[in-house]
Amino acid sequence: MSTIVPVAYLDTKSILDVIEFRLVVEPRTAGLAARRATPDNIATLEATWTGMDRNKQNPTRFAEQDLAFHLELAKITGNSLLIETLGVIRAILSQAMQTAIEHRGTVGLHYHRLMIDAIKAGDEKLTMSIMDEHLT
C-alpha cells in the first residue's frame, strides 16, 4: 500500500493536519452519503456501528470499526476520487483515529449513531453538521 506520509512520522502537528484534512473532506462526504445511501448501505453502516459498540473496551478494534465507518461513507458517495484518496491515506487515518480514541475515548460512537439516523432520513445538511461536530 502506498501512503503519502509514513505512519511512523506522524507527530502532534501531523495528527492535527489529518484532522484539518478530515474537516475539509468528510462533512461533505457524509452529506453525499446521506443523499445517495441505499438500504444496503445503511445496513452496512449499522453493522459497523454495532462492531464499534461491541468493541468499546478494545481501542484497537474500536478504531478499526471507526475507520471502516468513515471509509463506508466514502464508498456510499460512489465518487471514485474520494474513495481512492481515503484509501491511499488509510494508514494515516487509522493512526490518527487510534490516537484520538486514546485521548477522547469512544465518544465517536454517539456521533456515528446520529449520522446513521440523519442518513436514514436523507438529511444531507444535518449529516454534514453532525460530521463537522464529530471531527471538531
Side-chain angles (χ1 to χ4, degrees):
M1 172 177 38
S2 167
T3 59
I4 297 169
V5 178
V7 175
Y9 295 108
L10 287 180
D11 58 13
T12 302
K13 168 73 169 97
S14 299
I15 297 293
L16 293 175
D17 287 347
V18 172
I19 293 169
E20 189 173 71
F21 171 84
R22 292 180 68 198
L23 278 166
V24 170
V25 173
E26 290 199 60
R28 180 62 72 183
T29 298
L32 288 172
R35 187 186 317 162
R36 298 174 180 167
T38 66
D40 286 343
N41 296 140
I42 293 168
T44 300
L45 291 173
E46 291 278 7
T48 305
W49 185 90
T50 299
M52 290 175 70
D53 189 46
R54 287 185 182 147
N55 287 290
K56 288 184 287 196
Q57 304 306 317
N58 183 334
T60 300
R61 292 287 300 138
F62 185 90
E64 289 170 1
Q65 293 296 305
D66 192 347
L67 178 58
F69 185 94
H70 289 267
L71 293 175
E72 183 63 24
L73 291 176
K75 182 179 170 187
I76 292 168
T77 71
N79 182 306
S80 62
L81 189 55
L82 284 172
I83 296 164
E84 291 300 320
T85 300
L86 293 181
V88 166
I89 64 168
R90 180 185 187 119
I92 294 169
L93 293 173
S94 177
Q95 180 61 43
M97 287 180 178
Q98 185 72 39
T99 301
I101 291 163
E102 289 169 6
H103 290 93
R104 296 178 56 213
T106 59
V107 67
L109 192 61
H110 167 73
Y111 289 102
H112 288 200
R113 175 78 263 152
L114 294 175
M115 274 187 270
I116 291 169
D117 293 342
I119 289 168
K120 281 182 183 177
D123 193 328
E124 184 175 349
K125 288 183 181 181
L126 179 59
T127 306
M128 289 171 57
S129 176
I130 294 165
M131 178 64 83
D132 188 66
E133 186 177 333
H134 169 46
L135 295 173
T136 302

